[in-house]
Amino acid sequence: MYASNFPTDSVFTTYRHNYDGFSQAITTLSDSEQDKIFRGNARQWYRF
């Protein structure tokens, strides 16, 4: 599950830069796996 340390991290980087870097790091994963990281696991965990 993707998470960040914002707004504390804004001293060092932007949220967009953080998110884009993480997105690039997981490009080798399948679309289904990426969806779980960015949405699916949170939906299941928090029962959205």
Side-chain angles (χ1 to χ4, degrees):
M1 187 179 330
Y2 173 75
S4 73
N5 195 30
F6 263 76
T8 306
D9 284 345
S10 64
V11 172
F12 305 106
T13 189
T14 64
Y15 183 81
R16 174 50 86 188
H17 188 259
N18 181 294
Y19 180 88
D20 288 346
F22 191 82
S23 291
Q24 288 179 339
I26 64 169
T27 58
T28 59
L29 300 177
S30 70
D31 289 344
S32 174
E33 291 168 321
Q34 289 182 41
D35 181 70
K36 286 179 181 176
I37 289 172
F38 285 118
R39 285 181 288 277
N41 290 336
R43 284 183 181 158
Q44 183 178 358
W45 180 258
Y46 295 109
R47 297 184 181 149
F48 289 145

